[in-house]
Amino acid sequence: MILGIGTDLANIERISGVLDRFGDRFRDRVFTETEQRVARRRAKTEGGEASTYAKRWAAKEACSKALGTGLRMGIAWKDMAVTNLRSGQPVMQVTGWAAERLEKMTPDGHEAIIHVSLTDDHPWAQAFVVIEARPFA
């Protein structure tokens, strides 16, 4: 069963401007060390660092919407983090208040699965998040 759906659209040029203006202060407030490492690695690729951060920004916004809260009620940016499987597939990991919220919204006898999809086409980055409750086998 679907517990929540969220989507967000982020402007890559806006994120680039925020990076230029606030640099590490912005990175450290919003993104985990793992997310920052990925962005640094992708800095010289097509789309670059700003695109990587914009997609992750959109994913965090989308996840907070799927959790039914938006970025309020104690949820922190770093409570949601995008990593990638070896195949490149993005996955969302939640900790802190986001994990507590996810646990509360998951029915007994079920496990929560967070599905995330990211895309970009300059100047836009987009994310979709679907939270599924799957019965234990």
Side-chain angles (χ1 to χ4, degrees):
M1 91 181 62
I2 303 298
L3 298 179
I5 300 172
T7 185
D8 194 66
L9 186 65
N11 186 289
I12 296 168
E13 292 174 6
R14 178 175 163 256
I15 297 296
S16 180
V18 171
L19 287 165
D20 289 344
R21 185 167 178 204
F22 297 104
D24 286 341
R25 202 165 99 209
F26 171 67
R27 287 180 191 91
D28 293 341
R29 179 173 174 256
V30 176
F31 302 100
T32 65
E33 180 53 41
T34 300
E35 290 172 312
Q36 291 181 46
R37 207 171 25 253
V38 168
R40 281 192 300 271
R41 237 185 9 250
R42 295 181 180 167
K44 293 185 169 106
T45 64
E46 186 177 332
E49 179 186 41
S51 174
T52 300
Y53 282 127
K55 286 184 280 191
R56 279 149 180 75
W57 172 279
K60 291 168 187 266
E61 287 274 9
C63 184
S64 71
K65 292 171 186 175
L67 288 168
T69 64
L71 285 162
R72 58 184 178 85
M73 296 175 54
I75 198 166
W77 287 103
K78 287 184 174 182
D79 285 349
M80 302 163 289
V82 177
T83 59
N84 297 85
L85 301 177
R86 289 174 87 50
S87 65
Q89 176 186 346
V91 292
M92 179 67 69
Q93 298 174 335
V94 293
T95 58
W97 191 91
E100 290 173 24
R101 171 72 179 150
L102 182 61
E103 184 178 335
K104 285 179 185 170
M105 60 190 288
T106 304
D108 290 338
H110 291 73
E111 65 176 327
I113 314 279
I114 302 175
H115 304 276
V116 62
S117 180
L118 307 175
T119 191
D120 66 322
D121 187 7
H122 194 85
W124 301 106
Q126 186 172 29
F128 287 96
V129 171
V130 175
I131 302 176
E132 171 191 11
R134 192 178 292 167
F136 288 122

